[in-house]
Amino acid sequence: MVPGIGPTCDLRCRGPIACVNAFRQTSLSLLASHFPPYTPRLQVLPITWRWALRGRDCVDGPESQAETSGLDDRLRRLSLPSVPRLRSFANDTLLDVLLYGSLPSRHAIQAAVAQELCALRKRFLKRNPGFTGGVSVAGHSLGSLILFDLLAGQGDGQTPWVVQDPHSVSQLDFTPCHLFALGSPIAAYLAARGQDTLCGYQLSGCAQVFNIFHPLDPVAYRLEPLLVNDVPPPVLLPHHRGRERLHREVRAAILRLSVPLRAAWKALQHQLAGGGETAEEVTQKKEGGAMEGQHQDVGEHQRESVKKSDKESEETATGMHAKESAAKGESDQEPGLAPKTNSDSSDVEKPDGAEAAPMGRLNGGRRVDFVLQEAPIESVNEYLFALQSHLCYWESEDTALFLLKEMYRPPSPEVGRSKQEQGLKASKSGGNFK
């Protein structure tokens, strides 16, 4: 996992290493509760990069009391004495974005991430010689953009939005299985670089890309508008407890009740309107009976319109109920490695009723954008929880469970069954998981 800007990664002022440790604990608890006991183990490791520009002492932010070197010292001498806390925050966070916009600094950051990835993987394989599993990468905020650019530059180093010198692009000695972007501004950077579309584009260093964001995150952007013209809504991630959040269920229940009530009120209005016209017919009949046949035709037409309106209302209510049932069906399924949830490649596309749509080659035709469910209190005021929503991914059970489902999704039922049997044998024998 590659963190984003600044030395602090959440509202508790924790550094990237502490936040990745929190994500690891969340993932392990979900792995124990949602997956069979023979599931292979999981390790979540932090990848730091700020040391490439600021020195090794600023890896974990305020948790390290050592004096930083290099750029931080120069910025401290150049900064004005007023509002010192705000200027320190700007030096620690906003400057990272400016530095990444500079080509030499961008190459240094990508080289640092590539160096950490390769070194950490070699160290892990040395300590676990029987490991045959895959490696996935995840990035938060600017960290996801760093990974995207790094993976896009693998091979010849040529990308649709920028032509780079192949010798200046850091190369990896392995191919990640997945790229998970959390609260990512990748699409905004691509648009700023003049890239209007990714239609037909495939990330050379990774075949599967997932863009996960909170609906209130001000830094996150969607990727699917760059892939297709007719953009469907993002896929709603199910709650980790297998159901939607309470306020969303209440909203759906109100919607289900309002449809027949609205239909009944419309029918009542038609009946009242029809009764008034019948009274006029009676008055006109007393004045003269010449228009009797015409008024009878009008009454029959009104009765037919009332029946037609009732029928349309019933069909609307039935359709809404079917849509809600289909949207709820996926969240009621038991998560884990069961074939019901993992054998179907489109199971994560069902929760919000979003139809499956071809998304080009970026993710093998699968959906790319996935949105979290906001908490009930977050729906009260969007601006109040905007900053918190950008820092919520480290302890988000829904995010961790989605990553686990994708990483443990077998490529085929036969391969998945063989992997489960291998894990079961390893757990019984007490040996290394494979």
Side-chain angles (χ1 to χ4, degrees):
M1 298 198 72
V2 180
I5 62 175
T8 58
C9 295
D10 64 354
L11 294 179
R12 302 182 187 178
C13 296
R14 294 183 298 180
I17 296 179
C19 288
V20 173
N21 289 338
F23 189 87
R24 181 192 302 114
Q25 296 300 324
T26 302
S27 301
L28 292 177
S29 63
L30 290 171
L31 197 65
S33 60
H34 287 71
F35 290 79
Y38 51 79
T39 303
R41 292 177 294 183
L42 173 75
Q43 183 60 279
V44 184
L45 300 173
I47 300 294
T48 56
W49 54 269
R50 301 183 78 243
W51 58 266
L53 302 175
R54 299 167 178 261
R56 282 282 184 180
D57 293 332
C58 60
V59 168
D60 210 20
E63 295 181 0
S64 175
Q65 300 297 329
E67 288 292 330
T68 59
S69 59
L71 183 60
D72 282 348
D73 293 335
R74 296 196 297 270
L75 288 177
R76 193 178 296 110
R77 294 195 302 267
L78 297 174
S79 299
L80 299 178
S82 59
V83 288
R85 293 186 178 181
L86 184 59
R87 295 186 185 279
S88 177
F89 174 79
N91 292 342
D92 288 335
T93 56
L94 301 181
L95 189 63
D96 290 340
V97 180
L98 300 178
L99 287 173
Y100 192 75
S102 172
L103 191 59
S105 300
R106 185 189 311 167
H107 288 165
I109 293 173
Q110 293 179 9
V113 172
Q115 176 183 341
E116 291 285 329
L117 282 171
C118 296
L120 197 59
R121 180 175 176 271
K122 290 180 180 179
R123 193 180 310 127
F124 182 82
L125 293 177
K126 184 178 180 180
R127 296 179 180 179
N128 302 270
F131 177 75
T132 58
V135 178
S136 301
V137 293
H140 173 247
S141 189
L142 182 63
S144 63
L145 178 63
I146 298 173
L147 288 173
F148 188 86
D149 287 341
L150 179 63
L151 295 175
Q154 299 302 300
D156 58 359
Q158 306 300 317
T159 58
W161 50 90
V162 61
V163 179
Q164 298 178 344
D165 182 7
H167 301 287
S168 66
V169 179
S170 301
Q171 298 294 318
L172 300 176
D173 55 3
F174 69 99
T175 301
C177 301
H178 310 84
L179 168 60
F180 299 101
L182 311 177
S184 173
I186 293 176
Y189 271 84
L190 293 178
R193 295 169 181 174
Q195 187 66 26
D196 297 330
T197 178
L198 290 178
C199 183
Y201 176 74
Q202 183 179 6
L203 200 62
S204 58
C206 186
Q208 301 186 64
V209 181
F210 299 94
N211 184 35
I212 307 166
F213 52 90
H214 191 282
L216 306 182
D217 191 344
V219 183
Y221 292 84
R222 295 194 60 184
L223 275 171
E224 290 180 348
L226 297 177
L227 303 176
V228 292
N229 295 326
D230 189 9
V231 184
V235 181
L236 181 69
L237 288 181
H239 194 263
H240 66 282
R241 294 182 179 178
R243 57 183 296 178
E244 291 189 3
R245 292 185 180 270
L246 181 60
H247 69 289
R248 296 184 63 90
E249 291 185 347
V250 172
R251 189 186 309 164
I254 294 176
L255 181 62
R256 285 195 300 268
L257 292 175
S258 63
V259 171
L261 290 177
R262 195 179 301 126
W265 173 249
K266 189 176 181 180
L268 180 61
Q269 287 181 330
H270 278 286
Q271 291 179 0
L272 293 177
E277 290 177 2
T278 305
E280 292 179 1
E281 289 178 8
V282 172
T283 305
Q284 292 178 3
K285 254 185 188 180
K286 292 180 179 179
E287 294 177 353
M291 302 297 294
E292 182 178 358
Q294 181 179 357
H295 287 297
Q296 288 179 354
D297 294 339
V298 172
E300 292 176 0
H301 177 71
Q302 291 173 351
R303 284 192 294 271
E304 291 178 358
S305 63
V306 170
K307 292 180 181 179
K308 184 177 180 181
S309 175
D310 294 341
K311 185 177 180 181
E312 292 177 353
S313 302
E314 291 177 359
E315 292 178 352
T316 304
T318 305
M320 292 296 297
H321 180 71
K323 184 178 180 181
E324 293 293 333
S325 301
K328 242 177 130 184
E330 176 66 20
S331 60
D332 292 338
Q333 294 179 358
E334 181 66 23
L337 293 177
K340 185 177 181 180
T341 57
N342 286 334
S343 61
D344 186 6
S345 61
S346 62
D347 59 341
V348 293
E349 301 172 3
K350 297 177 183 177
D352 196 32
E355 298 294 335
M359 288 295 157
R361 301 174 58 193
L362 185 62
N363 195 17
R366 296 179 58 197
R367 296 297 301 274
V368 177
D369 290 340
F370 296 84
V371 60
L372 297 169
Q373 300 182 37
E374 73 278 7
I377 192 174
E378 293 176 345
S379 59
V380 176
N381 192 315
E382 297 181 352
Y383 294 94
L384 185 62
F385 296 94
L387 178 60
Q388 177 182 345
S389 64
H390 183 61
L391 306 175
C392 72
Y393 306 97
W394 303 110
E395 295 183 349
S396 171
E397 293 90 348
D398 300 349
T399 302
L401 183 59
F402 176 75
L403 266 64
L404 291 173
K405 284 184 177 181
E406 290 299 329
M407 287 187 290
Y408 288 123
R409 179 191 296 275
S412 64
E414 291 75 14
V415 176
R417 194 177 302 110
S418 62
K419 288 289 185 182
Q420 294 178 10
E421 293 175 356
Q422 292 177 6
L424 181 58
K425 293 178 180 179
S427 62
K428 290 181 178 180
S429 61
N432 291 332
F433 288 87
K434 296 183 179 180

